[in-house]
């Protein structure tokens, strides 16, 4: 059990299970991207741990960049998506893989994908650690997803509650009292 501010969180997904699912997702990318030299765009801050573990399993040439925007504050999505910052590479005719921690309502990815296509990307796919299918509000195709979870708030393995909890190697779910 961990406590962050006024919330308690209990163990939800063990790090060994996370590692298995990340490795399995990497195998799918290895099969699909041989010889393609894609660019991975890992979304900060949440995807840093997932991205670091994912790329260690990849066996095709690729580049990785870390980019940032903020659409989330505390436990409710604000629905507001700002520009992606930190992208210093030309996406023209590139295969792009967006590496994201979790797809919740989907609005963040829904607004980002057209912007990447406008930059001339040849293909754009999403590789997400987690997805809450029950909360999806927009039509997006998440081709690569390691795990699906119910509509619960989680922390750990890169994911935060008010900026904290990213450090844990397991994923924890909020305990409703
Ligand atoms: P969306 O735009 O609603 O899909 O929100 C996606 C973003 O919200 C993710 O990149 C996370 O940063 C954040 N988020 C969504 N669900 C959770 C959660 O359960 N824990 C921590 N962050 C979350
Ligand atoms: Mg995020």
């Amino acid at each position: 059990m961990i406590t962050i501010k006024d919330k308690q969180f209990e163990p939800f997904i063990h790090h060994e299970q996370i590692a298995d699912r990340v490795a399995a997702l990497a195998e799918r990318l290895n099969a699909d991207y041989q010889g393609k030299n894609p660019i991975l765009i890992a979304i900060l801050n949440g995807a840093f741990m997932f991205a670091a573990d994912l790329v260690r399993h990849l066996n095709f040439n690729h580049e990785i960049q870390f980019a940032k925007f903020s659409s989330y504050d505390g436990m409710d999505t604000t629905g507001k998506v700002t520009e992606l910052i930190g992208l210093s590479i030309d996406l023209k005719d590139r295969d792009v893989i967006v590496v994201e921690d979790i797809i919740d309502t989907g609005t963040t990815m829904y607004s980002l994908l057209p912007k990447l296509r406008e930059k001339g990307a040849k293909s754009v796919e999403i590789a997400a650690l987690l997805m809450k299918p029950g909360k999806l509000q927009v039509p997006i195709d998440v081709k690569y997803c390691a795990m699906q979870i119910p509509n619960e708030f989680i922390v750990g393995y890169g994911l935060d509650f008010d900026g904290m909890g990213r450090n844990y190697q397991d994923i924890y779910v909020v305990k409703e009292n």
Side-chain angles (χ1 to χ4, degrees):
M1 183 92 77
I2 60 175
T3 303
I4 301 173
K5 293 194 166 174
D6 59 334
K7 302 276 175 208
Q8 291 194 312
F9 295 84
E10 55 191 10
F12 187 49
I13 309 174
H14 191 262
H15 62 91
E16 285 175 5
Q17 190 186 348
I18 299 170
D20 284 352
R21 302 306 295 263
V22 170
L25 190 140
E27 287 313 315
R28 293 182 53 207
L29 294 172
N30 284 339
D32 292 353
Y33 285 91
Q34 281 307 321
K36 285 191 172 166
N37 190 24
I39 169 160
L40 275 58
I41 303 175
I43 308 298
L44 292 173
N45 296 316
F48 78 100
M49 210 177 276
F50 170 46
D53 285 343
L54 181 71
V55 296
R56 278 181 268 203
H57 293 283
L58 300 182
N59 61 15
F60 52 88
N61 284 338
H62 64 276
E63 293 166 80
I64 182 164
Q65 292 230 324
F66 292 82
K68 177 160 192 161
F69 46 50
S70 181
S71 72
Y72 216 79
D73 189 22
M75 291 182 66
D76 290 302
T77 188
T78 62
K80 188 167 70 80
V81 175
T82 48
E83 274 300 312
L84 199 62
I85 51 172
L87 208 56
S88 62
I89 203 163
D90 186 3
L91 299 186
K92 193 161 169 37
D93 296 326
R94 299 296 302 269
D95 293 306
V96 172
I97 305 170
V98 180
V99 180
E100 174 66 310
D101 53 357
I102 186 163
I103 312 288
D104 188 274
T105 63
T107 49
T108 310
M109 286 300 106
Y110 188 71
S111 80
L112 175 65
L113 298 188
K115 289 178 188 164
L116 298 179
R117 293 197 179 97
E118 276 167 25
K119 292 180 194 288
K122 181 163 58 172
S123 71
V124 182
E125 298 293 352
I126 300 169
L129 175 69
L130 294 146
M131 185 169 180
K132 300 177 192 171
K135 285 194 75 179
L136 202 62
Q137 286 173 13
V138 287
I140 51 165
D141 177 22
V142 184
K143 185 165 181 184
Y144 304 97
C145 179
M147 296 174 281
Q148 298 197 339
I149 60 166
N151 299 350
E152 314 242 45
F153 191 83
I154 57 170
V155 296
Y157 196 73
L159 291 112
D160 72 301
F161 170 53
D162 272 0
M164 287 171 278
R166 299 190 194 277
N167 50 298
Y168 297 102
Q169 62 175 344
D170 299 329
I171 290 174
Y172 293 78
V173 65
V174 72
K175 207 173 158 207
E176 304 296 352
N177 331 293

